[in-house]
mmCIF file of all heavy atoms in Angstrom:
data_model
loop_
_atom_site.group_PDB
_atom_site.id
_atom_site.type_symbol
_atom_site.label_atom_id
_atom_site.label_comp_id
_atom_site.label_asym_id
_atom_site.label_seq_id
_atom_site.Cartn_x
_atom_site.Cartn_y
_atom_site.Cartn_z
ATOM 1 N N ARG A 42 -8.910 -38.386 -35.368
ATOM 2 C CA ARG A 42 -9.299 -39.724 -35.841
ATOM 3 C C ARG A 42 -8.619 -40.818 -35.030
ATOM 4 O O ARG A 42 -9.210 -41.858 -34.765
ATOM 5 C CB ARG A 42 -8.991 -39.858 -37.337
ATOM 6 C CG ARG A 42 -9.924 -39.010 -38.202
ATOM 7 C CD ARG A 42 -9.763 -39.320 -39.681
ATOM 8 N NE ARG A 42 -8.486 -38.875 -40.215
ATOM 9 C CZ ARG A 42 -8.226 -37.649 -40.644
ATOM 10 N NH1 ARG A 42 -9.169 -36.710 -40.574
ATOM 11 N NH2 ARG A 42 -7.045 -37.338 -41.137
ATOM 12 N N LEU A 45 -10.495 -41.066 -31.772
ATOM 13 C CA LEU A 45 -11.780 -41.729 -32.032
ATOM 14 C C LEU A 45 -11.588 -43.235 -32.162
ATOM 15 O O LEU A 45 -12.371 -44.017 -31.617
ATOM 16 C CB LEU A 45 -12.428 -41.176 -33.305
ATOM 17 C CG LEU A 45 -13.178 -39.858 -33.184
ATOM 18 C CD1 LEU A 45 -13.581 -39.346 -34.557
ATOM 19 C CD2 LEU A 45 -14.390 -40.007 -32.283
ATOM 20 N N ALA A 46 -10.543 -43.641 -32.884
ATOM 21 C CA ALA A 46 -10.266 -45.071 -33.059
ATOM 22 C C ALA A 46 -9.930 -45.726 -31.716
ATOM 23 O O ALA A 46 -10.382 -46.841 -31.427
ATOM 24 C CB ALA A 46 -9.125 -45.271 -34.050
ATOM 25 N N ALA A 47 -9.174 -45.005 -30.878
ATOM 26 C CA ALA A 47 -8.823 -45.549 -29.558
ATOM 27 C C ALA A 47 -10.072 -45.710 -28.689
ATOM 28 O O ALA A 47 -10.233 -46.723 -27.991
ATOM 29 C CB ALA A 47 -7.800 -44.647 -28.875
ATOM 30 N N ALA A 48 -10.958 -44.717 -28.730
ATOM 31 C CA ALA A 48 -12.201 -44.799 -27.953
ATOM 32 C C ALA A 48 -13.073 -45.947 -28.444
ATOM 33 O O ALA A 48 -13.642 -46.700 -27.650
ATOM 34 C CB ALA A 48 -12.972 -43.474 -28.045
ATOM 35 N N ALA A 49 -13.156 -46.108 -29.775
ATOM 36 C CA ALA A 49 -13.953 -47.197 -30.349
ATOM 37 C C ALA A 49 -13.357 -48.552 -29.981
ATOM 38 O O ALA A 49 -14.093 -49.498 -29.662
ATOM 39 C CB ALA A 49 -14.041 -47.051 -31.862
ATOM 40 N N LEU A 50 -12.036 -48.662 -30.007
ATOM 41 C CA LEU A 50 -11.374 -49.916 -29.637
ATOM 42 C C LEU A 50 -11.630 -50.255 -28.165
ATOM 43 O O LEU A 50 -11.946 -51.398 -27.827
ATOM 44 C CB LEU A 50 -9.875 -49.816 -29.907
ATOM 45 C CG LEU A 50 -9.048 -51.053 -29.581
ATOM 46 C CD1 LEU A 50 -9.476 -52.234 -30.445
ATOM 47 C CD2 LEU A 50 -7.559 -50.764 -29.769
ATOM 48 N N LEU A 52 -14.153 -49.209 -26.193
ATOM 49 C CA LEU A 52 -15.553 -49.532 -25.918
ATOM 50 C C LEU A 52 -15.988 -50.802 -26.643
ATOM 51 O O LEU A 52 -16.645 -51.669 -26.049
ATOM 52 C CB LEU A 52 -16.458 -48.362 -26.305
ATOM 53 C CG LEU A 52 -17.926 -48.527 -25.893
ATOM 54 C CD1 LEU A 52 -18.061 -48.738 -24.385
ATOM 55 C CD2 LEU A 52 -18.738 -47.323 -26.332
ATOM 56 N N GLY A 53 -15.628 -50.938 -27.904
ATOM 57 C CA GLY A 53 -16.035 -52.120 -28.670
ATOM 58 C C GLY A 53 -15.491 -53.408 -28.080
ATOM 59 O O GLY A 53 -16.221 -54.389 -27.899
ATOM 60 N N ILE A 56 -17.285 -54.070 -24.712
ATOM 61 C CA ILE A 56 -18.628 -54.630 -24.907
ATOM 62 C C ILE A 56 -18.527 -56.121 -25.208
ATOM 63 O O ILE A 56 -19.239 -56.952 -24.635
ATOM 64 C CB ILE A 56 -19.350 -53.912 -26.067
ATOM 65 C CG1 ILE A 56 -19.696 -52.483 -25.695
ATOM 66 C CG2 ILE A 56 -20.599 -54.663 -26.509
ATOM 67 C CD1 ILE A 56 -20.123 -51.633 -26.885
ATOM 68 N N LEU A 86 -16.041 -57.659 -34.446
ATOM 69 C CA LEU A 86 -15.962 -56.657 -35.508
ATOM 70 C C LEU A 86 -17.179 -55.734 -35.488
ATOM 71 O O LEU A 86 -17.054 -54.509 -35.631
ATOM 72 C CB LEU A 86 -15.844 -57.345 -36.868
ATOM 73 C CG LEU A 86 -15.711 -56.426 -38.083
ATOM 74 C CD1 LEU A 86 -14.432 -55.597 -38.001
ATOM 75 C CD2 LEU A 86 -15.756 -57.241 -39.366
ATOM 76 N N ILE A 87 -18.362 -56.305 -35.278
ATOM 77 C CA ILE A 87 -19.595 -55.510 -35.205
ATOM 78 C C ILE A 87 -19.510 -54.496 -34.060
ATOM 79 O O ILE A 87 -19.840 -53.319 -34.226
ATOM 80 C CB ILE A 87 -20.822 -56.424 -35.049
ATOM 81 C CG1 ILE A 87 -21.101 -57.142 -36.370
ATOM 82 C CG2 ILE A 87 -22.055 -55.642 -34.588
ATOM 83 C CD1 ILE A 87 -22.080 -58.293 -36.260
ATOM 84 N N ALA A 88 -19.045 -54.961 -32.891
ATOM 85 C CA ALA A 88 -18.926 -54.055 -31.742
ATOM 86 C C ALA A 88 -17.966 -52.908 -32.044
ATOM 87 O O ALA A 88 -18.248 -51.749 -31.733
ATOM 88 C CB ALA A 88 -18.464 -54.835 -30.512
ATOM 89 N N LEU A 89 -16.836 -53.213 -32.664
ATOM 90 C CA LEU A 89 -15.848 -52.180 -32.980
ATOM 91 C C LEU A 89 -16.370 -51.185 -34.012
ATOM 92 O O LEU A 89 -16.230 -49.965 -33.855
ATOM 93 C CB LEU A 89 -14.557 -52.831 -33.492
ATOM 94 C CG LEU A 89 -13.767 -53.663 -32.484
ATOM 95 C CD1 LEU A 89 -12.637 -54.403 -33.177
ATOM 96 C CD2 LEU A 89 -13.250 -52.821 -31.342
ATOM 97 N N VAL A 90 -16.984 -51.692 -35.079
ATOM 98 C CA VAL A 90 -17.464 -50.826 -36.166
ATOM 99 C C VAL A 90 -18.599 -49.919 -35.703
ATOM 100 O O VAL A 90 -18.596 -48.709 -35.963
ATOM 101 C CB VAL A 90 -17.889 -51.671 -37.388
ATOM 102 C CG1 VAL A 90 -18.648 -50.830 -38.407
ATOM 103 C CG2 VAL A 90 -16.664 -52.312 -38.034
ATOM 104 N N PHE A 91 -19.574 -50.478 -34.982
ATOM 105 C CA PHE A 91 -20.723 -49.673 -34.568
ATOM 106 C C PHE A 91 -20.338 -48.621 -33.532
ATOM 107 O O PHE A 91 -20.846 -47.495 -33.579
ATOM 108 C CB PHE A 91 -21.846 -50.567 -34.031
ATOM 109 C CG PHE A 91 -22.766 -51.098 -35.093
ATOM 110 C CD1 PHE A 91 -22.398 -52.182 -35.872
ATOM 111 C CD2 PHE A 91 -24.004 -50.524 -35.316
ATOM 112 C CE1 PHE A 91 -23.239 -52.679 -36.853
ATOM 113 C CE2 PHE A 91 -24.864 -51.008 -36.289
ATOM 114 C CZ PHE A 91 -24.474 -52.097 -37.073
ATOM 115 N N THR A 92 -19.469 -48.971 -32.584
ATOM 116 C CA THR A 92 -19.057 -47.956 -31.610
ATOM 117 C C THR A 92 -18.222 -46.881 -32.292
ATOM 118 O O THR A 92 -18.375 -45.696 -32.006
ATOM 119 C CB THR A 92 -18.291 -48.566 -30.422
ATOM 120 O OG1 THR A 92 -17.195 -49.343 -30.916
ATOM 121 C CG2 THR A 92 -19.179 -49.431 -29.561
ATOM 122 N N GLY A 93 -17.351 -47.297 -33.219
ATOM 123 C CA GLY A 93 -16.568 -46.315 -33.974
ATOM 124 C C GLY A 93 -17.462 -45.376 -34.767
ATOM 125 O O GLY A 93 -17.244 -44.156 -34.791
ATOM 126 N N ALA A 94 -18.485 -45.936 -35.416
ATOM 127 C CA ALA A 94 -19.417 -45.106 -36.196
ATOM 128 C C ALA A 94 -20.176 -44.154 -35.276
ATOM 129 O O ALA A 94 -20.380 -42.981 -35.614
ATOM 130 C CB ALA A 94 -20.385 -46.002 -36.965
ATOM 131 N N GLY A 95 -20.594 -44.648 -34.110
ATOM 132 C CA GLY A 95 -21.303 -43.789 -33.165
ATOM 133 C C GLY A 95 -20.450 -42.621 -32.698
ATOM 134 O O GLY A 95 -20.903 -41.469 -32.680
ATOM 135 N N PHE A 96 -19.186 -42.899 -32.348
ATOM 136 C CA PHE A 96 -18.286 -41.819 -31.934
ATOM 137 C C PHE A 96 -18.008 -40.856 -33.089
ATOM 138 O O PHE A 96 -17.924 -39.649 -32.899
ATOM 139 C CB PHE A 96 -16.965 -42.386 -31.413
ATOM 140 C CG PHE A 96 -17.029 -42.897 -30.004
ATOM 141 C CD1 PHE A 96 -16.480 -44.133 -29.677
ATOM 142 C CD2 PHE A 96 -17.614 -42.161 -28.992
ATOM 143 C CE1 PHE A 96 -16.521 -44.609 -28.379
ATOM 144 C CE2 PHE A 96 -17.659 -42.621 -27.685
ATOM 145 C CZ PHE A 96 -17.106 -43.853 -27.376
ATOM 146 N N ALA A 97 -17.858 -41.390 -34.306
ATOM 147 C CA ALA A 97 -17.526 -40.553 -35.462
ATOM 148 C C ALA A 97 -18.674 -39.628 -35.861
ATOM 149 O O ALA A 97 -18.438 -38.513 -36.331
ATOM 150 C CB ALA A 97 -17.126 -41.439 -36.642
ATOM 151 N N VAL A 98 -19.912 -40.067 -35.670
ATOM 152 C CA VAL A 98 -21.082 -39.263 -36.042
ATOM 153 C C VAL A 98 -21.191 -38.016 -35.171
ATOM 154 O O VAL A 98 -21.636 -36.965 -35.629
ATOM 155 C CB VAL A 98 -22.372 -40.112 -35.938
ATOM 156 C CG1 VAL A 98 -23.612 -39.247 -35.900
ATOM 157 C CG2 VAL A 98 -22.448 -41.078 -37.110
ATOM 158 N N MET A 99 -20.763 -38.133 -33.923
ATOM 159 C CA MET A 99 -20.857 -36.987 -33.013
ATOM 160 C C MET A 99 -19.959 -35.854 -33.504
ATOM 161 O O MET A 99 -18.857 -36.084 -33.965
ATOM 162 C CB MET A 99 -20.400 -37.388 -31.601
ATOM 163 C CG MET A 99 -21.310 -38.355 -30.891
ATOM 164 S SD MET A 99 -22.832 -37.621 -30.321
ATOM 165 C CE MET A 99 -22.265 -36.600 -28.986
ATOM 166 N N TRP A 101 -18.012 -33.370 -31.782
ATOM 167 C CA TRP A 101 -17.614 -33.162 -30.390
ATOM 168 C C TRP A 101 -17.377 -31.699 -30.045
ATOM 169 O O TRP A 101 -17.237 -31.356 -28.887
ATOM 170 C CB TRP A 101 -16.377 -34.012 -30.085
ATOM 171 C CG TRP A 101 -16.709 -35.464 -30.143
ATOM 172 C CD1 TRP A 101 -16.495 -36.313 -31.181
ATOM 173 C CD2 TRP A 101 -17.381 -36.228 -29.144
ATOM 174 N NE1 TRP A 101 -16.988 -37.565 -30.879
ATOM 175 C CE2 TRP A 101 -17.532 -37.546 -29.639
ATOM 176 C CE3 TRP A 101 -17.891 -35.938 -27.872
ATOM 177 C CZ2 TRP A 101 -18.144 -38.560 -28.912
ATOM 178 C CZ3 TRP A 101 -18.496 -36.948 -27.139
ATOM 179 C CH2 TRP A 101 -18.617 -38.240 -27.658
ATOM 180 N N ALA A 112 -25.957 -41.118 -33.176
ATOM 181 C CA ALA A 112 -24.827 -41.778 -32.510
ATOM 182 C C ALA A 112 -25.323 -42.783 -31.471
ATOM 183 O O ALA A 112 -24.812 -43.908 -31.390
ATOM 184 C CB ALA A 112 -23.921 -40.738 -31.856
ATOM 185 N N LEU A 115 -26.733 -45.808 -33.307
ATOM 186 C CA LEU A 115 -25.678 -46.664 -33.834
ATOM 187 C C LEU A 115 -25.026 -47.502 -32.733
ATOM 188 O O LEU A 115 -24.844 -48.706 -32.887
ATOM 189 C CB LEU A 115 -24.612 -45.819 -34.542
ATOM 190 C CG LEU A 115 -24.958 -45.321 -35.936
ATOM 191 C CD1 LEU A 115 -23.947 -44.280 -36.400
ATOM 192 C CD2 LEU A 115 -25.010 -46.482 -36.910
ATOM 193 N N MET A 116 -24.666 -46.844 -31.636
ATOM 194 C CA MET A 116 -24.020 -47.579 -30.547
ATOM 195 C C MET A 116 -24.952 -48.614 -29.933
ATOM 196 O O MET A 116 -24.554 -49.748 -29.674
ATOM 197 C CB MET A 116 -23.521 -46.623 -29.480
ATOM 198 C CG MET A 116 -22.255 -45.963 -29.843
ATOM 199 S SD MET A 116 -21.515 -45.272 -28.360
ATOM 200 C CE MET A 116 -20.021 -44.660 -29.068
#
Side-chain angles (χ1 to χ4, degrees):
R42 290 189 291 276
L45 279 172
L50 180 63
L52 187 58
I56 291 167
L86 182 63
I87 287 167
L89 293 172
V90 168
F91 274 79
T92 54
F96 281 134
V98 163
M99 292 286 289
W101 294 98
L115 282 169
M116 281 197 177

